[in-house]
Amino acid sequence: MIGGLFIYNHKGEVLISRVYRDDIGRNAVDAFRVNVIHARQQVRSPVTNIARTSFFHVKRSNIWLAAVTKQNVNAAMVFEFLYKMCDVMTAYFGKISEENIKNNFVLIYELLDEILDFGYPQNSETGALKTFITQQGIKSQHHTKEEQSQITSQVTGQIGWRREGIKYRRNELFLDVLESVNLLMSPQGQVLSAHVSGRVVMKSYLSGMPECKFGMNDKIVIDKQGKGGTTDEAGKSELGGSSGKQSIAIDDCTFHQCVRLSKFDSERSISFIPPDGEYELMRYRTTKDIILPFRVIPLVREVGRTKLEVKVVIKSNFKPSLLAQKIEVRIPTPLNTSGVQVICMKGKAKYKASENAIVWKIKRMAGMKESQISAEIELLPTNDKKKWARPPISMNFEVPFAPSGLKVRYLKVFEPKLNYSDHDVIKWVRYIGRSGIYETRC
Amino acid sequence: MTDSKYFTTTKKGEIFELKAELNSDKKEKKKEAVKKVIASMTVGKDVSALFPDVVNCMQTDNLELKKLVYLYLMNYAKSQPDMAIMAVNTFVKDCEDPNPLIRALAVRTMGCIRVDKITEYLCEPLRKCLKDEDPYVRKTAAVCVAKLHDINAQLVEDQGFLDTLKDLISDSNPMVVANAVAALSEIAESHPNSNLLDLNPQTINKLLTALNECTEWGQIFILDCLANYTPRDDRESQSICERVTPRLSHANSAVVLSAVKVLMKFMEMLPKDLDYYGTLLKKLAPPLVTLLSAEPELQYVALRNINLIVQKRPEILKHEMKVFFVKYNDPIYVKLEKLDIMIRLASQANIAQVLAELKEYATEVDVDFVRKAVRAIGRCAIKVEQSAERCVSTLLDLIQTKVNYVVQEAIVVIKDIFRKYPNKYESVIATLCENLDSLDEPEARAAMIWIVGEYAERIDNADELLESFLEGFHDESTQVQLQLLTAIVKLFLKKPTETQELVQQVLSLATQDSDNPDLRDRGYIYWRLLSTDPVAAKEVVLAEKPLISEETDLIEPTLLDELICHIGTLASVYHKPPSAFVEGGRGVQHKRLPARAGSGESAESPDVGQAVSAVSDAPPAVIPSQGDLLGDLLNLDLAPPTSNVPPVPSSMQMGAMDLLGGGLDSLMGDESETSASHYRTEVQSPQPPECSERELGGDVGGSPAMGVSLGGAPVGMPAGLGAAPAVGGGLGDLFDLGGGVGVTAGSYIPPKTVWLPAMKAKGLEISGTFARRSGVIHMDLSFTNKAMSVMTDFAIQFNKNSFGLAPAGPLQVLTPLSPNQTVDVSLPLSTTGPVMKMEPLNNLQVAVKNNIDVFYFSCQYPISLLFVEDGKMDRQVFLATWKDIPSENEAQFQIKDCHLNSDAASNKLQGSNIFTVAKRTVDTQDMLYQSVKLTNGIWMLAELRIQTGNPNSTDLEVGVIFLSGLNSNLPSSRRRTSWHALLSAPHHLSLTTQSVF
């Protein structure tokens, strides 16, 4: 299990050090600093073994978080825990920075005492933690006996992510379908790989302990219902229009721990009692029938040894009524570039010497349109034998639909104990498609 | 209010000021002071002097302050044990507090105070908390039992906490169950045989129920624990799998990986024709792919695991090649791992895509990555025959880029391609030769030299090329030197007329001017071969080489199976068994995959066939890594070493072996100098033989390694040996020169164990043990034919190992071996084979061939096997050396319950070649000073202390000291086990199997 946890600033000074196991000595703190933070060569693995001690590290801005152990621990768990710890800290005091950590070191120690016991991670849901670890230590004394046992039963209970007795005057929920579409395309326009990784983020402001059921146009469910024919939910999409594709094939999905996995496994229905506030309900991945919002067509010509001609065309490929935003095309230039001249039809383009790239920005672009940029790149003659590696042209954008074709069909809320029904809940759905790693080789 | 100010108080007299503040009456001021203390503690300042003052603040109703004081206590209690007692009362009181949070806090902190005196006071409060009405307190108390066990295991057992902990597995609260499971699993690791967890279908059912309800972390504890269970049959295995599969959709990657571990393990038991088996395989792929969209650190862990899974069950991910394509922004550690998996998944179906990708990668910036990509192209060529041509042309393109490291890497892999497809791509040699000058890395130089030597007849200026390397012969690395030697000999055999001078030059460089014994020995062998029988030399040196086979860099199957049982853990990230990086005995038992139920024995059954074919289709480590390109010299095939050894009765053969191996070098020691020079004059011109057989033997004796590798031909019985008095009978005496004390007990021989079960070897079962008899190491093997057909043509070979063990003669199996027949064979071993450090050190990988197939297994030999008979050190030398040994080479341990007095122990140890140099008695203690010498010349010195007072339960204390060389690589547990095995056997055979220390 985890033997100790250290947090360092970028200089390698210790900000937090908590040792859980006797086999981890004080020298471990220095070993990590010397061998990883101050290492002459950048460390090439997130797991480092120094003198039979294993160090796991993650970096958040310029803060290093390291977990130390001498045993054969579950490595995936250690990283998951480190991420979780970052989440918890962010939820308590915002950005993870040296200043924030120093300002909250007492709180961090208190948290570390709670969420890690003898190196075993314990309940680390911020919703639960915030009920009894507060920045005003005194407050916890004023809990009544009932409150105390409520806290403990929540922390250890089956629904550790939600506390009882939440009340809202207006029951409201927001669903965001956030997708990032990833593409790797050959210069000839062949799709080498493409996938969408999506997330359904929910903000719930619901009273009591509501039982929720979420439905989307999952191919397996739709097909099943098609066969059955008489189910009450079929065809009735409450939220979101039923335009475009009927159903999508989901390669794989994972759920927040509130979702009953065994029920999903047997019936493929997504039912849960949601945490209060914002959380990520599910993640999914699709690879079939992806709508690629943009196509990039590069043309690079080398004119002699000191000149390069680049022409890039982008085509938008979605309904003309929709608008893509924040479009940015990044065309890499060789290291020995001395000057660049650009002409573009739309938007603004600039050569950024420090980034070795031409950055072309377009604020908005409607569907089924096309735009073009051409550039002449002057090169300094070099005697470097190695050819320029030609990194791929990458693209960023945001579109108001889900490139995977996912549609939310319903989200039903039941709270039998309180007197509000599914119809009283105000529901909002939003689709945002963003570029992930969207690259075209040239 | 910010706390960062506490970090900035660094003025002098700080401790004094803090002391005053801590004793202040004002609560706020006290709290401020404690915060300052904690801040100083964090940055590494010693504030232990404030211990009494801080502990005084403990009695407070301010929870935040209390927590801070506890934090301080945990840090410093150990350094101030006496004062820590002051805290006990507060703990006991807090454990009675009405607030469950405070009760839990107390019990949690208590366990972290590692002071012996205190622990006993804590038992009562802990007992109460384990039965507390509040689940939060119970779950904290469960972990506390593990803490206490870590401090004082005996106490935990005596107090009956283990039983209480077991009861908690049936607790109504899932988190209590999860923590109890975690605690029990940890405790069970230090008691490998205790059956503490007592997993049975009922408890498994409880765990599976809790699995659905507890936190993500709890699910991990439970899944990791489930993975240790072995279901009774395939039906139980299936039902557990069914209940575990939903976890594959969990957002937490660790939950997913632990579930994969359980499934991969239990899948072993499912019959392959079962529908469910296929379904399960299909279900595994998507979650594994999803792991690749996690954060990079987790991706790395996932990729390392996928690497194992792909080797174990390639069918799971065979269609998922694309997801392993490298992204431009991936961190380098992710890139390298993806590349590895891409090659493993490469097949005829996807090779075009893979090659296009690899070519792309070869132009990237990161040098390591580019190198690996180039190497990968070569591996593809070897793996997918249809792609070989395209790979070669891609490599040629890359060579044209003239980027130095790309060229070198390409040449190394082209050499392998030549090995796989001889006489097919020689047209590229010209291009390769153009780049000769730019090669500066030994591996690339060696590869190039190999190519030139191998194809010398087609390269017009081969002699010039090789000569150019010869100029700086002594500056080259050994690898290049050896390769150059072989290549020039090949060249000479192919074009004898014009290269005579060259070959003489290299032979004299290798034999006279080199300090490297390997180089010298090889030089002499060639020299001898060339001078005695050039025809034979041609047959040996230019023999057709076996093709290298497709799959490369595979993890050895038994290790792979063990690692599959460790999916998700550090072991799977390092690709090493836990024993390789975990200190002490904790958690290092070897885990095994369960055997498949049902269709067992018959070798033809498809499932077993699959398991075996994974092995036999792809002999591991085929592309020789650095340095052993030269493996092809004589011995790459599996045939018995050389056939010129006449079939002598085994005892006789043994004797001859001894003489050449051990005795001769001392006898011939003085002569070797002269014989070497004798050589020189004689072989000046490698003409037909002039030297007699007799001289040959003598020369060979000069270097013992050669003696054995030539097969110990009795014809070589040198004249010098005739003078030794003891040729005929007691050869053993030769070795017992120094020992005044007679040998009273034989060395300890472990009982035979099954090394290769029949299921894995198409009906051949091999069991065996090791023994040292009259100075010769023997591998005693029993072959049992459990198949239906007759087995013939047995042969054996060892992989390189830590002490260079190698068969000293061919395997003599009474053939044919008919069904149900068992035959016992004793195979004498030499220690002059190639050496490579193994993990564990005494691991031996063996390949056995018969008419049916080649089988691989590994076994471990007792270290005592390697203790040689002349290990008695002179008293004076002993005294002098003892003092000079650095303390880091020292190890101490106790052997309990050993019913031996000092004389008996001394005799027993002598039986295993551990010699008593001196004995001393102080008070009631006998001290034995002992020495041991290993076959590779390393000495170990030991001091053995024996209580004479109570002969019935004598505890032995052993201090061992190691000298020189390898010693630091020897894991301490290994040393202890071997000592212990020697001392306690045969009385305590059972103990030898567990590492008691």
Side-chain angles (χ1 to χ4, degrees):
Chain A
M1 284 309 112
I2 297 172
L5 256 172
F6 308 130
I7 302 180
Y8 302 84
N9 66 9
H10 66 288
K11 284 185 256 171
E13 292 164 354
V14 200
L15 304 178
I16 297 286
S17 121
R18 174 75 157 95
V19 173
Y20 293 93
R21 297 261 171 164
D22 204 36
D23 53 1
I24 303 298
R26 181 82 203 175
N27 52 359
V29 184
D30 302 323
F32 183 77
R33 178 185 20 248
V34 172
N35 290 291
V36 180
I37 302 181
H38 291 169
R40 221 169 290 152
Q41 279 189 325
Q42 209 195 339
V43 180
R44 302 216 132 196
S45 154
V47 186
T48 325
N49 193 314
I50 307 162
R52 293 202 151 214
T53 310
S54 299
F55 294 81
F56 300 74
H57 73 266
V58 299
K59 254 187 114 174
R60 287 288 180 272
S61 60
N62 55 10
I63 298 294
W64 298 75
L65 293 101
V68 196
T69 182
K70 284 209 164 182
Q71 297 169 27
N72 182 29
V73 293
N74 188 320
M77 185 188 78
V78 176
F79 280 123
E80 282 285 2
F81 177 78
L82 286 174
Y83 302 144
K84 193 65 167 200
M85 202 176 110
C86 293
D87 291 348
V88 171
M89 289 197 290
T90 315
Y92 266 96
F93 53 75
K95 192 171 167 272
I96 295 176
S97 65
E98 179 170 353
E99 202 193 344
N100 277 345
I101 288 173
K102 279 187 172 173
N103 280 338
N104 294 285
F105 82 98
V106 174
L107 170 73
I108 295 175
Y109 276 125
E110 205 175 324
L111 284 170
L112 282 179
D113 198 42
E114 184 58 41
I115 58 179
L116 206 53
D117 190 5
F118 201 40
Y120 291 105
Q122 305 291 308
N123 192 338
S124 44
E125 287 299 315
T126 28
L129 290 172
K130 279 190 172 170
T131 58
F132 68 105
I133 295 188
T134 55
Q135 274 160 304
Q136 287 81 42
I138 313 100
K139 193 183 149 196
S140 41
Q141 254 98 34
H142 298 306
H143 288 305
T144 63
K145 197 156 194 268
E146 291 75 53
E147 277 172 329
Q148 284 163 2
S149 70
Q150 204 179 54
I151 289 170
T152 57
S153 77
Q154 196 212 326
V155 173
T156 60
Q158 289 186 30
I159 308 161
W161 53 86
R162 188 181 181 94
R163 64 192 167 88
E164 303 239 10
I166 297 173
K167 270 214 168 70
Y168 287 102
R169 192 179 293 166
R170 203 157 93 127
N171 289 300
E172 198 169 18
L173 66 86
F174 300 83
L175 275 179
D176 280 346
V177 177
L178 308 172
E179 295 197 339
S180 82
V181 51
N182 298 277
L183 170 76
L184 185 61
M185 197 176 251
S186 76
Q188 291 75 35
Q190 187 193 0
V191 177
L192 296 175
S193 74
H195 75 270
V196 168
S197 54
R199 308 185 297 143
V200 178
V201 175
M202 183 171 172
K203 263 180 249 169
S204 72
Y205 304 105
L206 302 170
S207 312
M209 294 298 255
E211 183 71 45
C212 297
K213 205 168 170 191
F214 174 71
M216 53 188 177
N217 57 341
D218 177 1
K219 193 162 188 292
I220 297 173
V221 178
I222 305 271
D223 289 356
K224 211 160 56 179
Q225 286 170 354
K227 269 180 222 153
T230 51
T231 47
D232 50 353
E233 288 151 9
K236 262 195 279 168
S237 48
E238 291 177 37
L239 309 160
S242 57
S243 61
K245 280 179 297 171
Q246 283 302 305
S247 61
I248 62 160
I250 293 175
D251 287 23
D252 188 38
C253 45
T254 59
F255 296 99
H256 185 267
Q257 59 168 322
C258 66
V259 175
R260 297 185 186 89
L261 293 178
S262 38
K263 207 156 178 192
F264 177 75
D265 194 60
S266 56
E267 304 162 25
R268 219 170 160 88
S269 75
I270 303 164
S271 61
F272 53 95
I273 296 172
D276 193 40
E278 182 170 337
Y279 73 103
E280 188 179 286
L281 175 64
M282 72 177 282
R283 276 179 188 232
Y284 57 91
R285 178 167 45 86
T286 71
T287 46
K288 286 202 189 75
D289 304 322
I290 295 168
I291 307 160
L292 296 171
F294 284 94
R295 165 100 205 266
V296 176
I297 305 154
L299 202 74
V300 181
R301 210 160 65 94
E302 285 175 41
V303 187
R305 295 206 54 189
T306 57
K307 204 170 149 190
L308 214 60
E309 279 180 12
V310 182
K311 198 175 106 178
V312 177
V313 180
I314 59 167
K315 284 183 180 169
S316 59
N317 176 33
F318 43 89
K319 270 193 252 168
S321 57
L322 299 173
L323 273 183
Q325 293 186 68
K326 299 178 192 166
I327 301 151
E328 184 184 293
V329 181
R330 188 170 279 266
I331 304 160
T333 56
L335 296 174
N336 55 336
T337 302
S338 61
V340 176
Q341 276 153 354
V342 250
I343 313 160
C344 57
M345 290 158 48
K346 215 170 171 232
K348 280 180 191 158
K350 229 188 202 167
Y351 166 63
K352 294 197 172 164
S354 59
E355 296 166 39
N356 286 311
I358 301 167
V359 180
W360 177 24
K361 286 183 180 171
I362 305 171
K363 276 197 184 132
R364 267 178 224 95
M365 189 165 169
M368 307 314 274
K369 288 268 188 330
E370 176 173 327
S371 191
Q372 179 182 320
I373 184 173
S374 22
E376 273 186 27
I377 301 168
E378 304 279 344
L379 303 176
L380 290 170
T382 57
N383 40 13
D384 193 2
K385 272 187 197 156
K386 200 188 164 190
K387 248 177 39 186
W388 174 48
R390 282 204 192 175
I393 296 176
S394 60
M395 212 183 153
N396 290 313
F397 53 79
E398 201 178 291
V399 289
F401 60 89
S404 70
L406 182 130
K407 291 270 184 272
V408 176
R409 292 175 56 227
Y410 56 82
L411 199 148
K412 292 181 180 171
V413 182
F414 309 94
E415 169 49 312
K417 283 187 201 142
L418 298 174
N419 54 350
Y420 71 92
S421 76
D422 185 40
H423 295 290
D424 304 327
V425 180
I426 306 159
K427 303 170 188 171
W428 306 85
V429 183
R430 177 166 68 162
Y431 297 89
I432 300 174
R434 290 200 184 95
S435 51
I437 294 165
Y438 203 85
E439 293 177 337
T440 307
R441 289 186 179 151
C442 58
Chain B
M1 179 184 103
T2 68
D3 289 344
S4 59
K5 59 175 186 274
Y6 303 116
F7 279 88
T8 51
T9 51
T10 47
K11 52 184 189 282
K12 279 183 192 166
E14 188 193 359
I15 298 273
F16 185 74
E17 260 176 47
L18 280 173
K19 215 178 176 85
E21 285 176 42
L22 284 170
N23 291 315
S24 155
D25 298 332
K26 289 189 189 127
K27 267 189 183 172
E28 258 324 290
K29 201 148 197 189
K30 253 188 187 174
K31 199 163 122 189
E32 298 279 289
V34 177
K35 280 187 182 179
K36 276 185 208 164
V37 172
I38 300 290
S40 309
M41 193 173 88
T42 299
V43 296
K45 263 181 250 169
D46 183 13
V47 282
S48 59
L50 296 166
F51 198 90
D53 310 283
V54 177
V55 172
N56 269 339
C57 302
M58 200 169 160
Q59 289 283 5
T60 170
D61 44 6
N62 182 318
L63 197 55
E64 192 186 7
L65 181 58
K66 188 170 240 150
K67 283 182 177 173
L68 288 173
V69 174
Y70 280 179
L71 191 62
Y72 179 91
L73 255 181
M74 288 187 262
N75 251 315
Y76 288 114
K78 224 173 141 187
S79 57
Q80 311 259 346
D82 295 328
M83 281 197 264
I85 299 255
M86 289 161 55
V88 168
N89 260 335
T90 320
F91 284 131
V92 175
K93 217 175 103 205
D94 278 358
C95 281
E96 308 271 340
D97 196 282
N99 185 342
L101 292 170
I102 296 200
R103 293 202 295 276
L105 178 65
V107 80
R108 185 163 66 216
T109 315
M110 255 162 47
C112 299
I113 299 193
R114 306 179 57 93
V115 176
D116 268 338
K117 282 184 216 158
I118 293 192
T119 41
E120 43 200 279
Y121 292 103
L122 304 180
C123 290
E124 276 324 299
L126 176 58
R127 197 187 316 281
K128 264 184 213 153
C129 288
L130 279 167
K131 303 222 160 108
D132 199 286
E133 51 169 19
D134 195 294
Y136 184 76
V137 180
R138 289 202 301 276
K139 71 114 183 160
T140 314
V143 175
C144 188
V145 176
K147 292 179 187 169
L148 198 58
H149 185 270
D150 194 37
I151 305 168
N152 190 340
Q154 197 57 46
L155 185 72
V156 170
E157 277 173 49
D158 295 347
Q159 295 277 338
F161 285 142
L162 294 183
D163 293 324
T164 323
L165 204 51
K166 275 191 211 166
D167 294 342
L168 287 183
I169 289 191
S170 315
D171 199 281
S172 58
N173 184 294
M175 195 154 174
V176 177
V177 178
N179 276 3
V181 166
L184 276 174
S185 302
E186 177 165 343
I187 295 170
E189 273 184 4
S190 43
H191 296 272
N193 298 327
S194 63
N195 197 23
L196 196 58
L197 263 166
D198 187 29
L199 293 174
N200 55 47
Q202 286 77 40
T203 41
I204 291 294
N205 198 34
K206 278 176 203 154
L207 294 184
L208 285 169
T209 312
L211 187 61
N212 285 326
E213 294 164 351
C214 61
T215 65
E216 44 193 335
W217 314 116
Q219 296 185 17
I220 300 170
F221 306 153
I222 292 178
L223 287 169
D224 284 351
C225 171
L226 271 181
N228 290 328
Y229 176 64
T230 311
R232 288 163 309 171
D233 52 26
D234 49 337
R235 200 166 311 156
E236 191 188 3
S237 176
Q238 176 174 348
S239 85
I240 296 176
C241 286
E242 278 167 357
R243 293 178 70 178
V244 166
T245 33
R247 297 301 118 197
L248 294 175
S249 305
H250 202 286
N252 187 316
S253 311
V255 175
V256 176
L257 269 177
S258 291
V260 169
K261 164 164 59 191
V262 175
L263 297 176
M264 283 292 286
K265 198 177 165 189
F266 289 7
M267 217 160 144
E268 285 291 305
M269 293 185 66
L270 298 177
K272 283 209 162 176
D273 42 4
L274 197 69
D275 284 347
Y276 181 71
Y277 180 84
T279 325
L280 199 53
L281 276 183
K282 271 191 214 124
K283 277 194 174 168
L284 276 172
L288 288 174
V289 174
T290 298
L291 291 177
L292 298 184
S293 52
E295 289 84 346
E297 292 87 3
L298 266 175
Q299 273 187 55
Y300 174 73
V301 174
L303 285 164
R304 294 293 282 175
N305 280 287
I306 288 171
N307 199 329
L308 298 173
I309 293 167
V310 165
Q311 288 184 59
K312 183 71 191 166
R313 297 193 180 279
E315 63 270 32
I316 294 178
L317 287 166
K318 66 180 171 202
H319 298 304
E320 304 288 350
M321 169 64 89
K322 276 188 180 178
V323 298
F324 297 103
F325 284 178
V326 170
K327 291 183 193 132
Y328 192 71
N329 295 332
D330 281 337
I332 182 68
Y333 51 81
V334 168
K335 284 186 177 175
L336 293 172
E337 293 307 316
K338 280 188 173 172
L339 197 51
D340 230 17
I341 295 168
M342 276 173 69
I343 304 162
R344 295 208 192 286
L345 291 176
S347 66
Q348 205 184 332
N350 56 25
I351 193 75
Q353 270 184 319
V354 174
L355 265 184
E357 281 293 310
L358 291 177
K359 201 176 169 184
E360 204 68 48
Y361 303 161
T363 59
E364 281 228 30
V365 201
D366 190 283
V367 177
D368 284 348
F369 181 60
V370 171
R371 281 172 180 275
K372 200 163 181 174
V374 176
R375 208 162 268 229
I377 296 174
R379 277 170 70 182
C380 283
I382 289 161
K383 195 173 172 193
V384 185
E385 188 161 358
Q386 292 80 358
S387 75
E389 195 151 352
R390 295 177 58 180
C391 294
V392 172
S393 76
T394 310
L395 287 170
L396 281 180
D397 286 351
L398 291 172
I399 290 178
Q400 298 302 351
T401 63
K402 303 274 179 200
V403 179
N404 188 281
Y405 52 86
V406 174
V407 174
Q408 310 212 36
E409 232 22 81
I411 287 182
V412 172
V413 293
I414 286 181
K415 177 227 32 182
D416 287 335
I417 294 176
F418 283 169
R419 283 290 310 276
K420 168 81 179 177
Y421 311 108
N423 305 318
K424 218 168 163 187
Y425 300 109
E426 281 67 38
S427 52
V428 308
I429 292 177
T431 324
L432 302 185
C433 290
E434 286 166 21
N435 292 288
L436 212 57
D437 299 333
S438 64
L439 308 181
D440 52 13
E441 292 160 19
E443 204 184 349
R445 286 172 83 86
M448 190 65 219
I449 293 170
W450 183 86
I451 292 171
V452 174
E454 188 65 18
Y455 296 99
E457 68 273 27
R458 307 187 199 191
I459 305 170
D460 296 335
N461 60 343
D463 49 343
E464 283 169 36
L465 294 177
L466 292 176
E467 200 171 359
S468 68
F469 283 104
L470 209 52
E471 281 161 19
F473 188 77
H474 290 298
D475 302 329
E476 301 282 4
S477 73
T478 311
Q479 188 185 5
V480 179
Q481 289 177 335
L482 286 168
Q483 197 57 74
L484 196 53
L485 174 61
T486 305
I488 292 180
V489 170
K490 282 182 190 164
L491 173 70
F492 172 71
L493 289 167
K494 287 174 178 173
K495 300 181 183 171
T497 43
E498 60 252 56
T499 56
Q500 203 159 321
E501 217 169 288
L502 193 62
V503 81
Q504 278 178 18
Q505 207 181 337
V506 76
L507 285 175
S508 77
L509 278 171
T511 52
Q512 293 163 31
D513 303 341
S514 170
D515 297 331
N516 183 327
D518 286 345
L519 188 63
R520 259 198 333 248
D521 286 355
R522 186 178 293 192
Y524 280 128
I525 287 191
Y526 282 141
W527 205 325
R528 174 64 58 190
L529 263 173
L530 293 175
S531 59
T532 44
D533 188 352
V535 182
K538 217 165 184 163
E539 272 170 30
V540 171
V541 178
L542 301 181
E544 202 165 307
K545 278 157 281 293
L547 299 183
I548 55 178
S549 69
E550 46 221 55
E551 202 57 77
T552 52
D553 286 358
L554 284 176
I555 294 178
E556 191 262 323
T558 42
L559 176 61
L560 180 63
D561 283 356
E562 193 185 345
L563 292 179
I564 289 287
C565 301
H566 288 294
I567 283 178
T569 68
L570 262 181
S572 72
V573 173
Y574 293 146
H575 288 184
K576 283 179 187 161
S579 53
F581 59 92
V582 175
E583 272 168 12
R586 177 178 274 174
V588 296
Q589 311 102 284
H590 290 278
K591 294 194 179 177
R592 279 205 193 99
L593 288 176
R596 196 177 299 277
S599 52
E601 257 47 26
S602 100
E604 273 70 41
S605 83
D607 44 354
V608 179
Q610 175 74 18
V612 174
S613 71
V615 183
S616 52
D617 289 352
V622 210
I623 289 199
S625 59
Q626 331 205 334
D628 49 25
L629 324 166
L630 319 154
D632 60 331
L633 173 60
L634 288 164
N635 56 351
L636 249 188
D637 53 351
L638 267 170
T642 33
S643 49
N644 60 4
V645 181
V648 238
S650 65
S651 61
M652 161 74 185
Q653 194 189 353
M654 260 162 47
M657 238 16 143
D658 286 351
L659 292 170
L660 287 170
L664 256 188
D665 54 341
S666 56
L667 284 169
M668 306 303 282
D670 301 333
E671 213 182 295
S672 62
E673 204 53 53
T674 46
S675 63
S677 53
H678 174 53
Y679 247 148
R680 235 175 296 146
T681 49
E682 184 181 273
V683 200
Q684 212 50 286
S685 56
Q687 297 289 312
E690 286 170 24
C691 69
S692 65
E693 294 287 22
R694 192 159 280 250
E695 282 161 327
L696 203 171
D699 293 337
V700 167
S703 77
M706 260 164 68
V708 177
S709 62
L710 280 183
V715 276
M717 282 280 206
L721 198 100
V727 190
L731 285 176
D733 293 352
L734 260 181
F735 300 101
D736 205 4
L737 295 172
V741 195
V743 180
T744 51
S747 66
Y748 165 62
I749 301 171
K752 277 187 183 172
T753 49
V754 176
W755 283 338
L756 183 68
M759 251 177 75
K760 278 195 166 174
K762 303 192 176 166
L764 175 66
E765 187 186 81
I766 301 177
S767 56
T769 184
F770 293 91
R772 192 176 177 92
R773 288 195 284 271
S774 51
V776 182
I777 303 171
H778 285 265
M779 188 180 196
D780 292 340
L781 295 151
S782 293
F783 292 85
T784 309
N785 183 350
K786 293 196 171 171
M788 303 306 286
S789 56
V790 175
M791 293 178 178
T792 55
D793 305 319
F794 285 91
I796 192 164
Q797 198 178 31
F798 294 174
N799 195 356
K800 292 195 276 190
N801 53 70
S802 316
F803 292 94
L805 283 178
L811 184 66
Q812 308 238 323
V813 177
L814 181 79
T815 53
L817 187 61
S818 39
N820 277 327
Q821 193 187 356
T822 300
V823 65
D824 290 334
V825 184
S826 182
L827 179 73
L829 307 181
S830 69
T831 53
T832 49
V835 175
M836 181 173 75
K837 200 192 156 214
M838 297 297 291
E839 206 58 70
L841 204 64
N842 59 343
N843 196 21
L844 182 64
Q845 297 175 333
V846 183
V848 168
K849 190 193 82 160
N850 64 10
N851 57 328
I852 298 169
D853 210 330
V854 182
F855 309 106
Y856 299 86
F857 63 89
S858 64
C859 50
Q860 301 189 352
Y861 48 87
I863 288 284
S864 58
L865 203 62
L866 304 159
F867 297 171
V868 297
E869 278 72 10
D870 59 346
K872 180 152 184 166
M873 201 179 240
D874 180 75
R875 255 172 184 236
Q876 297 305 320
V877 184
F878 186 99
L879 267 176
T881 350
W882 183 268
K883 286 177 203 147
D884 291 339
I885 300 162
S887 60
E888 63 265 27
N889 284 5
E890 225 170 302
Q892 283 216 7
F893 48 90
Q894 271 207 344
I895 296 167
K896 295 218 169 71
D897 293 320
C898 195
H899 307 276
L900 292 170
N901 62 25
S902 58
D903 285 333
S906 171
N907 276 347
K908 195 174 263 300
L909 289 170
Q910 173 130 17
S912 296
N913 294 338
I914 300 170
F915 299 93
T916 306
V917 178
K919 181 180 162 184
R920 191 156 72 105
T921 309
V922 180
D923 298 335
T924 58
Q925 270 193 337
D926 278 347
M927 325 261 256
L928 296 179
Y929 292 91
Q930 304 186 299
S931 71
V932 172
K933 188 184 171 190
L934 293 176
T935 47
N936 55 2
I938 290 175
W939 285 90
M940 289 192 259
L941 307 185
E943 181 187 53
L944 197 65
R945 284 192 289 274
I946 302 170
Q947 289 291 343
T948 47
N950 181 1
N952 288 331
S953 69
T954 318
D955 286 356
L956 298 185
E957 255 189 77
V958 186
V960 189
I961 295 199
F962 291 85
L963 294 174
S964 77
L966 253 158
N967 47 30
S968 51
N969 297 333
L970 210 60
S972 59
S973 59
R974 193 60 57 209
R975 291 175 225 151
R976 291 179 197 147
T977 344
S978 70
W979 272 92
H980 189 256
L982 293 168
L983 278 174
S984 54
H987 304 303
H988 298 277
L989 280 178
S990 66
L991 288 177
T992 61
T993 48
Q994 36 173 299
S995 46
V996 177
F997 300 98

